[in-house]
Structures are given as structure tokens and as C-alpha cells.
Amino acid sequence: MTAVHAPGVPVIEDGELVSTNPATGAEAGRFPVADEEDVRRSVARAGEAARWWAGLGHAGRKERLLRWRSLIANRMTEIAELVNREGGKPVADGIVETTAAIEHIDWAARNARRVLGLRRVRSRLVLAEFSAHLEYQPYGVIGVIGPWNYPVVTPIGSLAYALAAGNAVVFKPSEYTPAVGQWLADTFAEVVPEHPVLQVVHGLGDVGAALCRSGVAKVAFTGSTATGKKVMAACAETLTPVLIEAGGKDAMIVDADANLDAAAEACVWGGLMNAGQTCIGIERVYAVEPVYDAFVAKVVEKAGRLTVGDGEDAEIGPITMPSQIEIIRRHIDDAIARGGRAVLGGPEAVQPPYVHPTILVDVPEDSAAVREETFGPTLTISRVRDSDEAVALVNAVPYGLGGSVFGRRNAMSIARRLRSGMAAVNSVITFVGMSTLPFGGVGDSGFGRIHGDDGLREFGRAKAITKRRGPSLMPAMTFERTPAQVGRIAKTIKMIYGRG
């Protein structure tokens, strides 16, 4: 008799991780669960593979990564449908997510040599007899712990950059989306069959903890702030460096000279896409007094048209992690109990496994809906006097991942004042697809960067080399120096640097 599983809740059955769709309960796949010894063996195999992979050089890795890019591009509908089947995300959103992932693979492959390769660095006068050289050498094996809400583009932000830098990777996908993680590793193995350069280990949180303690040279984690702290603590035992991309409570500011139609459209997309399960999604909005009422009306009208369900035409799918529904419900109930109003949705919008769009106004700034990560299709919209008050309120929470500003004259300066790792002006979340820019946050949103030049450097150790190119005119680092030479050194330094 086949066991009945709660839809979307990962379970372990006969040593396998069983993944199911959160809306229908249909099984998406079964994968062998790794124990601590399995994880260590995977890391050991990856260590051998890393030496081969690094030996290919930038050109060899680029050629293989571009083939992986092309394979994913040609099969993007396949992976988007798998994302839908496993996590409930609409297929159209899966295609958009995969498009961004393909861009990141392409950029990392094409730019790794420029960013990380050996190059001359300008030397200084006091050591003019030496030339300076810098390169970023691969760590060896990187452990990547991925999330469930964007199971393609977010892990690729670490996988592609780590691989382009010359590392092998052991990847622990979320237990909510193991099938997608396995698909990524399997397709990579199709283009790189020689060695296990990218491996997957499946399981619950204990497998992620085992990966942190397995001897990997660095861990790249994406997930909640609470889990990120646990990852740091585990890695601290062995001084294993970490990259943490944690939660967010991103805000949008709507200034007086904003295009309200564009701002409302972006707000609804940024706050409600993927059922609001986006770390860089808009959860709070601060609109200045002159445009507040008109802006709220436009957001309510647009959000009210969205369709919710698991059909082909649905624009908002189910909540992927069932336990999140109670958090969303608590935030809505708390906001209303504290004097807030639901101008769309409200407590009745919570209809597991779905949550319908909910727009809350007049919500106190110290409420859970404003200060805690909701991760659902809800928005709080608050009235402010001006952009200065808006910036102060945006920066008052401990998170600092992304943000958005709509306006004309002062929008750029407002964006620069946000305490966040990223910001978008007259758009939302566009920075995630901009492969030339670093992605990451501050405060409770973590530290370190993926994407861009900084993202490549995260996965390489800086190696500095000096090379003598002539005799020393001012021999300082030798016991053969004379008092007269030390005197000349002192005189020269005073002449060069002694004047203000």
C-alpha cells in the first residue's frame, strides 16, 4: 500500500527523500539520502575532480560551461516544468528564472580569466626593483547549500561562479526541491562526464550541517537568517569561510514625481510574483503623501486581477513550504489586530495551500508584518511625509538585501541612501539578472557576494607574487645593508612622503 504524504512536505521513506508538489501532492521524485560518511566521500571525490578541473585552465572550463549553458537553454521548458511540478511555481516564472541562470553561466564563463587570471599589478617606488603579480586560485571544493524558492537561478549564482573559478562543487539542494538540484547536476555531467566536478547530496538539515563539517574549503549558503547563523557556527569549528545570502524585508519608496502606473505595476510584480516567496521581493512600500491614495488604488486594482491556483493560467501558485502559511497568517492577523486595514485580501485570503494577494495599510511600524520576513503574497503600504522619512523607515529593520525607488529628480540619491546591498531605480529586482553586478546584502541579510567580478573573486584565493627584476637601489631587507644605506632610505622616504 502506497503511503500518503502531506503535499509539499519532504519526507524520508526507505532511505529516500520524497519530494511532492505542494498543491496536488503528486510525487516529483525520490532521491537517496546521504549520511555524514556519504557527504565526506563526495567531498573526497570532488577533491580529485577539482585538480583535474583546475588543470583545464580558463579556456577549457569556459568551453564546457558554455556547453552547459547551451544545454540548459535548449531544455529550459523542461526545467521550468520540473520547477512547477516540484515547487508549484508557474511555468512562465520558471522560464524567466532559468533565463537569468543561463545569463549568469555565460557571463561567469566568459569573464573568469579577466577577473581571476594572473596579471601584473603596478608596483611602488620603494620596491621598484620588484614586479608585482596577482591571481585568484581556486579553493578546491566548494560546498553550496541552495534554497527552494528559486531553485535554478540562486544556486547557479554560486555554482557557475565557483566552477568558472576552477573549483569542484558539492551541492546540497533544498529538501523541498531536490529534483531540480539533481537535474542541474545531471545536465552538467552530460557535458563534463570525465570527473564528478559537480555532485549533489540530498537530505534534510543534518546533511547541510555535515557538508559544513566535511572538509570543503568554503561554503556558499542561501536561506533564512536563522539557518545562516547555524551554518556559520558549524563552519566556525574548522575556520571554514562562508558566504551567506540570508533573508530580506525589501522596501519600495514611491516619491512625489514617480510614474504611478509604472510604480504600481512593478510593485505588484515585485511583491506578489512567486507567491511573494522572494528574498528580494517587495514586502513594504512607503509612498509620499501627495501620491499615496492614487498609488494604493492602482496597486489594489492590479493585484485584484491576479489569478491564483495550479492551472496553466495561474499567475500565483501555492506556498511551496507549507509551514510558511502559518507565518503569513500570523503577520496578517497581527497587522489587523494592531489597527491595520486590508484593502485587498486579509485573513480570508489564506486558503492553504494558497494565499491570495493581500494589501495592508495603516500598519504600525513595529508590527511583525513590517519588521519580519513574511515570504508570502502580501504588501504593507505606508504613507510618509517625504523621501527622508521613507529612507529612515526603510533602514530601520535589521535586514538589508535589496530595495526599489520610483521617482525622477531624486530617485538615484534616495537609492544610494538605502542600507542595502542592492537597489533598483524605476524597476524592481532587476539587479538579480544583471550579471555584471554583485548580489548580496548587509546586516541580517548576510555578507559576501555572488555575481559579477566580486562573485567570481568569492570563489578564488588571492595569490600575490613579487618577482625581482633588478638590484635594490635601497637595500632594506638584508643584513648586508650598511648604515649609510639605511640613512639614504630614511632621507628618501622623508623627501617623498614627508610633505603634507
Side-chain angles (χ1 to χ4, degrees):
M1 185 175 180
T2 303
V4 177
H5 305 298
V9 178
V11 297
I12 295 176
E13 185 177 278
D14 298 327
E16 292 183 315
L17 177 64
V18 183
S19 177
T20 56
N21 182 282
T24 66
E27 190 172 304
R30 290 173 177 253
F31 307 92
V33 174
D35 60 21
E36 189 171 344
E37 186 55 35
D38 292 328
V39 174
R40 289 190 178 278
R41 281 195 294 265
S42 293
V43 172
R45 288 193 297 269
E48 297 176 9
R51 288 185 282 274
W52 172 81
W53 181 246
L56 292 178
H58 288 292
R61 294 192 296 272
K62 173 183 174 182
E63 186 270 332
R64 286 161 173 80
L65 285 168
L66 292 180
R67 278 198 279 140
W68 189 35
R69 172 215 61 188
S70 298
L71 185 155
I72 295 174
N74 288 321
R75 292 165 58 179
M76 65 188 310
T77 301
E78 176 186 331
I79 184 58
E81 289 174 348
L82 179 59
V83 168
N84 169 261
R85 209 158 52 242
E86 185 167 56
K89 180 182 296 187
V91 172
D93 286 357
I95 288 176
V96 172
E97 177 184 349
T98 304
T99 298
I102 291 166
E103 162 64 18
H104 282 297
I105 297 172
D106 184 83
W107 190 89
R110 294 184 184 279
N111 287 275
R113 181 195 293 274
R114 174 185 62 81
V115 176
L116 306 175
L118 183 65
R119 67 181 186 272
R120 285 276 295 271
V121 178
R122 189 172 181 177
S123 55
R124 299 278 287 176
L125 180 60
V126 292
L127 287 173
E129 68 272 29
F130 294 94
S131 59
H133 308 262
L134 173 66
E135 69 175 331
Y136 291 81
Q137 298 179 346
Y139 279 92
V141 182
I142 303 292
V144 173
I145 301 175
W148 51 263
N149 58 329
Y150 287 87
V152 180
V153 68
T154 302
I156 287 291
S158 294
L159 298 177
Y161 289 76
L163 291 166
N167 303 282
V169 176
V170 178
F171 173 36
K172 194 277 180 189
S174 169
E175 56 267 34
Y176 289 88
T177 51
V180 176
Q182 189 65 54
W183 190 94
L184 293 175
D186 289 347
T187 52
F188 185 83
E190 289 183 36
V191 299
V192 185
E194 298 95 331
H195 294 275
V197 176
L198 172 57
Q199 298 174 70
V200 174
V201 290
H202 293 292
L204 305 180
D206 60 312
V207 177
L211 183 59
C212 293
R213 299 183 172 98
S214 64
V216 293
K218 187 170 187 175
V219 171
F221 166 82
T222 303
S224 71
T225 301
T227 304
K229 291 177 181 179
K230 293 178 181 177
V231 167
M232 284 189 67
C235 289
E237 296 171 11
T238 52
L239 288 181
T240 301
V242 295
L243 184 162
I244 302 289
E245 196 267 276
K249 192 67 180 177
D250 289 3
M252 172 188 284
I253 294 175
V254 183
D255 207 3
D257 58 354
N259 179 326
L260 295 189
D261 288 324
E265 179 184 348
C267 177
V268 171
W269 167 254
L272 307 181
M273 64 164 177
N274 195 29
Q277 302 168 119
T278 304
C279 57
I280 51 172
I282 302 301
E283 295 202 2
R284 305 174 290 152
V285 185
Y286 297 94
V288 299
E289 173 72 37
V291 300
Y292 174 83
D293 290 328
F295 175 76
V296 170
K298 289 178 184 292
V299 169
V300 169
E301 189 274 328
K302 292 178 183 297
R305 296 201 309 257
L306 298 176
T307 57
V308 180
D310 68 335
E312 292 184 3
D313 297 330
E315 294 162 300
I316 297 178
I319 301 302
T320 303
M321 190 166 70
S323 61
Q324 192 69 26
I325 292 174
E326 289 310 308
I327 296 174
I328 300 168
R329 189 197 306 275
R330 175 172 63 83
H331 285 194
I332 295 173
D333 290 346
D334 177 67
I336 292 175
R338 303 282 302 283
R341 295 183 296 115
V343 291
L344 180 69
E348 67 277 8
V350 182
Q351 301 173 17
Y354 304 100
V355 176
H356 290 251
T358 293
I359 311 299
L360 301 163
V361 299
D362 301 330
V363 180
E365 286 297 306
D366 60 351
S367 67
V370 172
R371 294 196 62 81
E372 300 175 16
E373 188 173 37
T374 305
F375 235 53
T378 69
L379 286 162
T380 63
I381 307 180
S382 301
R383 188 193 311 262
V384 291
R385 294 185 307 275
D386 52 31
S387 60
D388 289 339
E389 182 184 10
V391 169
L393 293 173
V394 169
N395 292 345
V397 302
Y399 295 104
L401 196 52
S404 172
V405 179
F406 270 79
R408 292 186 176 88
R409 187 164 61 92
N410 298 318
M412 191 69 179
S413 63
I414 294 170
R416 294 180 63 201
R417 293 165 60 196
L418 299 183
R419 178 182 168 273
S420 64
M422 304 159 291
V425 173
N426 294 327
S427 66
V428 289
I429 74 169
T430 39
F431 38 75
V432 72
M434 191 72 72
S435 54
T436 54
L437 287 177
F439 181 101
V442 299
D444 278 6
S445 292
F447 54 87
R449 296 295 183 264
I450 57 176
H451 306 172
D453 289 11
D454 289 354
L456 282 168
R457 292 190 189 103
E458 284 281 358
F459 297 104
R461 292 189 177 100
K463 181 63 175 286
I465 301 174
T466 59
K467 180 181 178 182
R468 181 177 290 278
R469 56 187 177 186
S472 295
L473 298 178
M474 294 187 295
M477 293 180 288
T478 173
F479 287 114
E480 304 300 319
R481 67 196 177 196
T482 66
Q485 289 171 330
V486 173
R488 282 198 296 271
I489 292 171
K491 183 178 180 180
T492 302
I493 294 302
K494 289 177 182 178
M495 184 173 61
I496 297 173
Y497 300 113
R499 292 188 292 270

